Amino acid sequence: MQISAAPIIYIVIFVAVLVLVEGLYLTVFGKSISLNSRVSRRLALLEKSGNREQVLEQLRKEMSQHIKVRGIPLYSLLATKAQKANIAFSPQQLILIMIGLSVFAFLGLTIGTSAEAPIRAAIAVAMGVGGVYTWVAQKAKKRMDLMDEQLPDAVELLVRSLRVGHPFSSSIAIVSKEVADPLGTEFGIIADEAAYGRDVAESLKEFAERMDSQDLRFLAVAVSIQQSSGGNLAEILDGLAKVIRARFKLFRRVRAITAEAKWSGMFLSAFPIGALIMINILQPDYYDDVRESASFIPAALAVAVFLVVNVIFMKMMVNIKV
């Protein structure tokens, strides 16, 4: 039985693309850019440079650079994810990385496969662009999940700081030092902006809109209402913390209940593709008898369309909104 290594080579090259972009990211910006770091990126930059204004300018540039280019048609899908992930690479750098990874994938396909040049070029571009998009989407999901998990504790820390007599801007500064990223750096930026005269409620509202988070919108609205009408902010935030924590528990419960359906959907979506890969590995001449048929290409395209529709509908069926 003849075994083909081409599908394995495609998978290995795509994994190498993901590893390369992650390695490049950590090499350029250091370990402080990683969400696994115990020290927030803002504190690491402050320790390195000691210039608070310069660090604030750099962080504000990083968090707003992707919002400004959402109007570019080819970049708009990636810009929203990159904005939530707070990718420090500029849009121009991400595009250059896509090009570089496409060239790397093309060279790998040229060395490891015997496919024709146009096919290698198309697959290489798909790997370069798709690899960067997959990496950014994974970063965005991880960052948003961490933020949702940290927010109740951060609000409760705000409440305790307010109850011992700290002003709200100082309480936010305390949270920025005690909480790890992503909230540590974000609250640090808000504290720095407040120190330079910007309204805290306005900064919180901008943060909530940038992250598209309902819980952060609740926080911004609570602070804004308290500033305009007065009241005990500590009690308001204490109630808000309980609401956010209850919502978080509900989301986790729904995620646990729907986990089986989601994994079933993922399996049913991945099984046809996995079966096709295994057929090409174990018996690469399986389609030789019908490859020259006039209906082979239209049939293959129809199957590809059905596979894409299957993935889309499976995702829609298990994507339960709360």
Side-chain angles (χ1 to χ4, degrees), residues 257-271:
I257 293 173
T258 59
E260 181 181 356
K262 288 184 178 181
W263 278 102
S264 298
M266 291 172 61
F267 174 78
L268 292 174
S269 299
F271 180 78

Side-chain angles (χ1 to χ4, degrees), residues 222-235:
V223 174
S224 179
I225 291 175
Q226 191 276 337
Q227 286 183 346
S228 60
S229 61
N232 190 333
L233 183 58
E235 294 299 325

Side-chain angles (χ1 to χ4, degrees), residues 160-167:
R160 291 194 295 270
S161 299
L162 290 170
R163 284 175 173 169
V164 298
H166 293 291

Side-chain angles (χ1 to χ4, degrees), residues 29-292:
F29 297 103
K31 292 184 178 179
S32 66
I33 200 71
S34 174
L35 294 178
N36 296 324
S37 177
R38 294 185 178 182
V39 180
S40 69
R41 174 164 167 75
R42 172 177 168 270
L43 293 180
L45 291 175
L46 283 174
E47 183 180 359
K48 183 177 180 180
S49 67
N51 190 327
R52 185 179 181 183
E53 185 176 356
Q54 181 181 353
V55 170
L56 176 61
E57 182 180 355
Q58 178 181 346
L59 293 175
R60 282 178 55 84
K61 179 182 177 181
E62 290 177 0
M63 72 183 188
S64 62
Q65 58 188 351
H66 299 287
I67 303 177
K68 298 177 181 178
V69 295
R70 283 188 298 182
I72 301 177
L74 296 178
Y75 193 79
S76 57
L77 293 176
L78 183 64
T80 302
K81 297 286 186 182
Q83 168 189 325
K84 292 182 179 180
N86 199 32
I87 300 297
F89 282 135
S90 67
Q92 295 80 7
Q93 289 173 332
L94 279 179
I95 293 173
L96 289 176
I97 290 172
M98 289 180 186
I99 296 172
L101 292 177
S102 299
V103 173
F104 167 80
F106 182 79
L107 293 176
L109 292 172
T110 302
I111 296 172
T113 66
S114 58
E116 297 180 359
I119 296 177
R120 293 200 308 269
I123 295 176
V125 171
M127 284 186 175
V129 176
V132 172
Y133 182 85
T134 301
W135 175 75
V136 171
Q138 184 268 336
K139 288 283 186 183
K141 184 179 183 304
K142 182 178 179 181
R143 190 167 188 266
M144 292 301 295
D145 288 344
L146 278 174
M147 193 172 294
D148 290 339
E149 187 174 347
Q150 288 179 321
L151 188 57
D153 294 331
V155 175
E156 288 177 351
L157 183 55
L158 284 175
V159 172
R160 291 194 295 270
S161 299
L162 290 170
R163 284 175 173 169
V164 298
H166 293 291
F168 186 61
S169 57
S170 299
S171 301
I172 290 181
I174 292 172
V175 172
S176 69
K177 295 177 182 178
E178 297 295 331
V179 178
D181 276 344
L183 275 184
T185 294
E186 293 288 353
F187 273 72
I189 293 173
I190 295 172
D192 290 341
E193 289 177 340
Y196 287 106
R198 188 179 187 186
D199 183 63
V200 176
E202 183 181 343
S203 298
L204 285 171
K205 182 179 179 181
E206 181 183 306
F207 175 36
E209 294 301 325
R210 178 160 45 86
M211 292 294 101
D212 191 22
S213 170
Q214 192 63 40
D215 291 334
L216 287 172
R217 290 191 182 99
F218 290 156
L219 176 60
V221 169
V223 174
S224 179
I225 291 175
Q226 191 276 337
Q227 286 183 346
S228 60
S229 61
N232 190 333
L233 183 58
E235 294 299 325
I236 295 173
L237 294 183
D238 185 41
L240 178 61
K242 294 177 181 177
V243 171
I244 294 175
R245 193 174 295 279
R247 280 168 50 85
F248 180 72
K249 289 181 179 179
L250 177 61
F251 291 152
R252 284 293 179 91
R253 185 175 182 182
V254 171
R255 184 178 298 180
I257 293 173
T258 59
E260 181 181 356
K262 288 184 178 181
W263 278 102
S264 298
M266 291 172 61
F267 174 78
L268 292 174
S269 299
F271 180 78
I273 300 174
L276 180 62
I277 292 174
M278 291 303 298
I279 289 173
N280 286 326
I281 292 175
L282 299 176
Q283 196 171 352
D285 57 348
Y286 184 80
Y287 298 103
D288 287 352
D289 294 337
V290 296
R291 194 185 299 273
E292 303 300 328

Side-chain angles (χ1 to χ4, degrees), residues 291-316:
R291 194 185 299 273
E292 303 300 328
S293 173
S295 59
F296 179 75
I297 298 298
L301 292 176
V303 170
V305 170
F306 280 122
L307 284 176
V308 173
V309 172
N310 168 70
V311 172
I312 294 174
F313 272 86
M314 283 293 177
K315 189 173 182 61
M316 292 171 58

